[in-house]
């Protein structure tokens, strides 16, 4: 997936919990190469398996905040964020970043919340060479504390959010109150739900063993790599191909947490693909095996034998060369 961003407009406003007003930036910042690199890395973190995703319909009220006036849009979004965030019991200094950018020839905006940190800096003062500052940006490699990236042409959005503590409970204020949407689960969370539901259904039908766990990993990897989507129906057909009741049960139970098919072609899915490309087996005798899926599923390469006494033997075949690493 392409991760080239063309940053066009940058505003940074600041919220401090001891101030009653936002510190507004009146003019956009010049997008220097350093800022371009920093915020491009931040945006890439939003197009990831951590992001919730969804679609803003044309009549959604959130569009009312957005206009061709970049300063006005940045202020409207920041003010709307503040109205939602002010119920938080744990308020810190935050920079509120508004970006207008292009990706793959399409127009986007981004709204990022970044909590600033305290840090010692060498100030060059001979009397007080080390000074404490409370306005340190997080590193470029760190995911924004919260983020909205919105495709202005399609309405497709990507969200990173953290729950806030309010009145003794926890709120998903960013989606529910600020954007007012019900986002689809992230790819990471969807995969976790798929694994949990598949194992539970396998337990219910007395099908759960290490080979079934391996089957889950292989099916997830195949669907991500070949179909670029995780579909409950496709996974059910692969995991429970000979049991119609188990297939229907899996699809029904998964809808509670993953109601729709999960596309992965609009994010960087390399981390999840790498996670599921191999089978990692830990044996009771201390041996650990790392087997690529293609080899694991090839009966001419690996064979699992269940012995009469209930133990297993693993036969590894047709090895041309062995190296000690």
């Amino acid at each position: 997936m392409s991760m080239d961003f063309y940053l066009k407009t940058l505003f940074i406003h600041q919220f401090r919990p001891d101030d009653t007003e936002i510190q507004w930036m009146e003019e956009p910042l010049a997008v220097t190469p350093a800022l371009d690199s920093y915020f491009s890395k931040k945006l890439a973190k939003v197009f990831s398996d951590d992001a919730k995703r969804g679609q803003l319909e044309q009549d959604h009220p959130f569009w009312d905040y957005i206009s061709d006036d970049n300063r006005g849009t940045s202020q409207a979004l920041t003010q709307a964020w503040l109205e939602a965030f002010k119920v938080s019991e744990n308020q810190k200094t935050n920079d509120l970043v508004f970006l207008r950018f292009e990706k793959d020839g399409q127009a986007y905006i981004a709204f990022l919340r970044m909590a600033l940190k305290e840090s010692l800096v060498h100030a060059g003062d001979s009397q007080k060479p080390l000074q404490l500052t409370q306005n340190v940006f997080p590193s470029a490699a760190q995911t924004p504390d919260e983020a909205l990236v919105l495709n202005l042409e399609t309405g497709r959005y990507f969200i990173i959010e953290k729950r806030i503590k309010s009145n003794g409970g926890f709120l998903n204020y960013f989606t529910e109150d600020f954007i007012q949407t019900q986002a689809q689960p992230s790819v990471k969370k969807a995969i976790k739900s798929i694994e949990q539901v598949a194992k539970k259904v396998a337990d219910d039908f007395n099908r759960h063993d290490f080979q079934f766990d391996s089957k889950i990993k292989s099916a997830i990897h195949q669907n991500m790599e070949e179909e670029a989507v995780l579909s409950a129906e496709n996974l059910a057909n692969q995991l429970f191909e000979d049991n119609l009741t188990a297939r229907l049960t899996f699809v029904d139970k998964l809808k509670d947490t993953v109601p729709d098919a999960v596309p992965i072609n609009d994010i960087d899915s390399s981390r999840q693909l790498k996670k599921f490309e191999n089978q990692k087996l830990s044996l009771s005798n201390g041996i650990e095996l790392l087997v690529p899926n293609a080899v694991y599923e090839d009966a001419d390469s690996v064979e699992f034998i269940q012995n009469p006494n209930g133990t297993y033997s693993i036969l590894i075949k047709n090895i041309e060369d062995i190296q000690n690493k």
Side-chain angles (χ1 to χ4, degrees):
M1 178 191 174
S2 172
M3 282 293 173
D4 294 327
F5 305 104
Y6 171 40
L7 274 57
K8 302 173 70 174
T9 305
L10 171 62
F11 279 90
I12 303 179
H13 309 301
Q14 189 170 90
F15 164 79
R16 294 182 179 178
D18 53 350
D19 287 347
T20 58
E21 297 289 337
I22 295 286
Q23 293 188 356
W24 300 108
M25 176 176 285
E26 298 299 327
E27 298 294 333
L29 276 173
V31 182
T32 64
L35 290 178
D36 184 278
S37 174
Y38 179 87
F39 285 108
S40 290
K41 291 176 181 177
K42 288 292 183 186
L43 291 174
K45 289 292 184 180
V46 185
F47 289 91
S48 73
D49 55 4
D50 287 316
K52 298 179 179 180
R53 293 169 297 166
Q55 186 81 26
L56 279 189
E57 301 302 329
Q58 292 183 351
D59 59 351
H60 193 286
F62 193 82
W63 290 109
D64 294 341
Y65 299 130
I66 302 168
S67 70
D68 292 334
D69 177 2
N70 290 315
R71 176 185 167 195
T73 299
S74 72
Q75 291 183 345
L77 290 174
T78 301
Q79 192 64 49
W81 167 84
L82 178 59
E83 289 300 312
F85 180 75
K86 63 185 181 182
V87 299
S88 174
E89 296 177 5
N90 184 23
Q91 298 186 359
K92 299 179 180 179
T93 299
N94 287 280
D95 272 3
L96 293 315
V97 180
F98 171 81
L99 287 161
R100 191 179 287 267
F101 66 97
E102 290 184 2
K103 177 180 177 294
D104 299 330
Q106 294 187 314
Y108 288 79
I109 62 166
F111 180 85
L112 316 178
R113 177 178 76 83
M114 302 194 306
L116 303 186
K117 300 181 179 181
E118 290 186 346
S119 182
L120 284 171
V121 296
H122 195 137
D125 187 326
S126 59
Q127 300 299 318
K128 295 182 179 179
L130 297 181
Q131 297 181 15
L132 183 67
T133 177
Q134 297 180 338
N135 288 299
V136 176
F137 262 30
S139 73
Q142 185 176 333
T143 302
D145 291 273
E146 287 177 313
L148 164 70
V149 168
L150 175 63
N151 187 318
L152 297 177
E153 300 179 24
T154 67
R156 184 73 170 162
Y157 64 76
F158 304 79
I159 292 173
I160 301 290
E161 79 168 332
K162 293 181 179 179
R163 296 191 302 169
I164 60 171
K165 189 174 182 181
S166 176
N167 294 323
F170 291 90
L171 302 176
N172 288 323
Y173 85 101
F174 200 78
T175 51
E176 295 174 4
D177 299 317
F178 171 42
I179 307 171
Q180 299 181 21
T181 187
Q182 292 293 326
Q184 299 166 339
S186 68
V187 169
K188 181 190 290 186
K189 186 173 181 179
I191 289 175
K192 185 176 181 180
S193 294
I194 288 167
E195 291 181 293
Q196 291 173 340
V197 171
K199 291 176 183 179
K200 178 64 169 62
V201 173
D203 281 333
D204 293 343
F205 287 86
N206 298 316
R207 299 280 298 274
H208 191 193
D209 57 15
F210 80 91
Q211 289 179 308
F212 185 80
D213 288 346
S214 298
K215 194 174 185 179
I216 295 173
K217 293 184 67 174
S218 179
I220 290 174
H221 183 267
Q222 180 182 343
N223 277 264
M224 286 194 297
E225 188 172 51
E226 297 180 7
E227 307 296 333
V229 66
L230 294 170
S231 161
E233 288 76 12
N234 288 347
L235 289 164
N237 289 336
Q238 291 176 264
L239 297 173
F240 306 102
E241 67 277 3
D242 58 351
N243 190 322
L244 175 60
T245 305
R247 292 202 300 272
L248 296 175
T249 302
F250 172 79
V251 171
D252 184 61
K253 288 183 177 293
L254 191 60
K255 285 182 179 178
D256 292 338
T257 52
V258 188
D260 301 304
V262 181
I264 65 166
N265 58 356
D266 56 354
I267 63 162
D268 178 6
S269 58
S270 58
R271 182 167 57 174
Q272 293 296 333
L273 281 168
K274 185 172 181 62
K275 176 181 177 182
F276 287 94
E277 68 183 1
N278 297 310
Q279 302 288 342
K280 299 178 181 179
L281 304 179
S282 179
L283 312 187
S284 59
N285 59 7
I287 295 175
E288 294 189 350
L289 298 178
L290 181 67
V291 187
N293 280 324
V295 175
Y296 186 88
E297 296 167 3
D298 182 4
D300 292 331
S301 299
V302 179
E303 182 179 355
F304 294 89
I305 304 168
Q306 187 163 16
N307 302 314
N309 63 358
T311 63
Y312 287 94
S313 296
I314 301 177
L315 181 60
I316 302 176
K317 313 174 186 177
N318 301 319
I319 304 301
E320 296 181 358
D321 183 37
I322 297 177
Q323 298 181 14
N324 191 338
K325 294 185 177 181

